[in-house]
Amino acid sequence: MVEIVLENGLDKKLAAVSLSTNTVRVRISDLTTDIKDQVVQDIKSAALSFFSMQLDESIDVASCSKLLVFTKYVHSDSIKEEFLFCSPLETSTNASDILKKVSPFFVTEFFYWDKVCG
């Protein structure tokens, strides 16, 4: 299929790419980190650095609760909405457990609660 869609010889180059489980896991992890870093930098460089968050709980196929955090901010004269991070909720989904997940992220990324609006 690659040979049909792309130029001759590219199928051999694609076949040489390692697709082991570990390689794919590492590449996904690297991509995830890069995207998160880009969003964090966008928020920090946003107009006045104010942003809002939307928190949601989701249950995956293994019946584990996950906290999903989305953000909205102004960047380059437009409003951007981005996925910020996901974290497992091991105990419950009450407010204190959710705060225990969000607060360390704020500390790590040097976000400040007084910049959260909305």
Side-chain angles (χ1 to χ4, degrees):
M1 183 62 145
V2 173
E3 186 177 356
I4 293 169
V5 175
L6 301 174
E7 298 173 15
N8 266 345
L10 288 179
D11 57 328
K12 291 174 183 54
K13 287 182 181 179
L14 186 60
V17 174
S18 174
L19 294 177
S20 71
T21 303
N22 191 48
T23 300
V24 171
R25 182 188 56 77
V26 168
R27 287 182 182 168
I28 289 172
S29 179
D30 289 348
L31 287 169
T32 303
T33 300
D34 184 55
I35 291 169
K36 180 196 61 105
D37 289 346
Q38 288 180 43
V39 172
V40 167
Q41 288 307 313
D42 278 357
I43 292 170
K44 288 179 179 178
S45 67
L48 306 174
S49 297
F50 286 103
F51 63 99
S52 65
M53 292 187 308
Q54 178 181 345
L55 309 174
D56 194 14
E57 179 223 355
S58 182
I59 298 176
D60 65 14
V61 294
S63 297
C64 298
S65 292
K66 306 283 184 190
L67 174 65
L68 305 171
V69 180
F70 299 87
T71 184
K72 185 184 278 189
Y73 55 95
V74 176
H75 180 70
S76 300
D77 296 330
S78 64
I79 296 174
K80 292 186 82 174
E81 291 182 72
E82 299 286 345
F83 176 74
L84 193 53
F85 73 93
C86 175
S87 183
L89 292 167
E90 294 90 1
T91 54
S92 72
T93 57
N94 63 35
S96 63
D97 290 329
I98 291 171
L99 187 61
K100 288 176 188 173
K101 296 294 182 173
V102 176
S103 288
F105 184 84
F106 270 50
V107 170
T108 303
E109 300 302 336
F110 301 101
F111 283 174
Y112 302 100
W113 286 106
D114 60 346
K115 295 295 184 177
V116 177
C117 63

